[in-house]
Amino acid sequence: MFAVVAFGRLITLRMYPRKGSRPSTFVSTFRKYITLPATFGGMHVQPQRLGKVPVNVIPTRWQSIVVFFFVSLNIILLFVDMWTVPNNTTYYTDAIMSARNIGDRAAYLGLALFPILFLFGGRNNFLMFFTGWSFETFNVFHRWIGRMMFVNFAVHGWTYTYNYLHIGEYKGESNFAYYKGEILDDKENYLGIVALVLIGVILIQACYVLRHHWYEIFLVGHIATVICYLATAWHHVKPHDSIEYFYACVAIWGLDRLVRVCRILLAGPYSEAKITVHGDAVYVAVKPAVHFHPKPGQYAFLYVLRHNFWESHPFSIVETRDKHYIFVAKAHAGLTKKIHNSVTKQNGNNTVRVWIEGPYGESYPIARYETVLLVAGGIGITAIMSYALDLKRRNTQQHVKLYWMVREQVSLAWVKDQLQELTEGGGLIDIHIYITGELEEVNEKAPSEPESTSISDLSEKGQAVLSQLIVKYNQRPDMRFVVAETVRNAEGSVAVVSCGPGSLADVCRKAAVENVDKGAGRVDYFEDAFSWA
């Protein structure tokens, strides 16, 4: 049902412009309290913390509603319309028979979720195309499906334990002796217990701290444990004629890998990439073997063949005027750190061969809005820049503002040429850059004083080559005020697009929610979560 609603929303977004009057009060109220906000507290991308330890990310409110209905439906299907046969001589009591029936139903509910779990966890989930939901949204559902699978299989195991322990009483055997003979001494049933333990291990592996801080370790462990789970669950289920669920999972997994290989081949294997280092960031300029013309906001997976060719990471794509693709990544632990260290040892630049798998992701239809507010934090500028360049190249008659918060001035080199392109031939886009970290020289200006910058000014400072924009030092903008002012001063529809750290994204979402019914036209909020894990 929710997928059908999402498909209708996607068609509306793609086919109908967002220009004109403000939506009805009912629609605005529904979006303000249901579809746009975080579930509670205004935090969605930022993790909830237990002390200083991040423990979980709360879904958006509409995602939480979908999860609530999913869990409720699972519980209803598990217990509703449960029947017993009076004076039954096999199960002896209604309680034993009910336990057996619930156990069987729980097992089949868990198995039915199995193929959906694989589909929602894949990169090439066809439902992304039909719903417009992001990978992040399907990842939320993927995790909750896994949790409910564990609950169903735990209920299955507990009810069968109850069943066998009590049947032993009526057969004149000790409870444990009968249970041992039926479960522990039976290979297929014993492997069922092992499979339940393994799916519990998978849930522990998938906790936020491990996913976020040690993603490569999590991924390898996750895949290995899933394979072990498949093997043990297969042998447990095989005598009960339910193998088709496993066939479906293997088919979905295999098709996803096949499509990945096809995407790499279509993008042209062995593209050439020049890697340079700017501060703690890795800057990759790829000359693709085949141009696939990514849409703004899309991303691709990059395989650096010299460093763990089997390992890939998603990066937003910026296409330059000379048809190169630009990828920028912070040097965290793992592959990006290895690349950063390797390139640093080679005087800060290196040329390697890479594979590109993509493009992936939905491109937001912001060209349909009269006013567009683009907000980026740090590396998030790569996704936001692709939208800004697209609007510039379209030469649209929109009012566009771009706000970028970055810690160090050296980071301006990431998108130096793209910023130059944005400022050529007139001021279509108002650009505001906030350098939030401490600088060695601030030109003796007060931190709160704006600086109008020219090409020559920034060249003298060794910063990026820019023109006709505003730069501020050692401060951050009040994005709640910026969003509110943008919406209230706009003459028509407004699109707010954010990409950056969780704190920035959550502030922009909250500000958009607060002002969704304050403008002259429709107000939409689009978010690149800036997190794969």
Side-chain angles (χ1 to χ4, degrees), residues 456-481:
S456 58
D457 290 337
L458 282 175
S459 296
E460 290 172 1
K461 296 179 188 177
Q463 299 180 27
V465 180
L466 312 174
S467 65
Q468 303 297 322
L469 51 80
I470 300 294
V471 177
K472 293 185 179 181
Y473 299 97
N474 291 348
Q475 61 177 301
R476 299 175 183 273
D478 183 350
M479 289 314 304
R480 291 182 69 178
F481 172 78

Side-chain angles (χ1 to χ4, degrees), residues 195-216:
L196 178 60
V197 172
L198 286 173
I199 199 171
V201 171
I202 291 171
L203 292 184
I204 295 173
Q205 288 176 336
C207 68
Y208 179 84
V209 174
L210 293 178
R211 291 197 328 267
H212 187 73
H213 293 287
W214 298 282
Y215 182 73
E216 288 83 2

Side-chain angles (χ1 to χ4, degrees), residues 431-442:
I431 304 173
H432 302 260
I433 299 178
Y434 288 77
I435 301 175
T436 62
E438 293 184 359
L439 303 177
E440 295 180 2
E441 298 180 6
V442 190

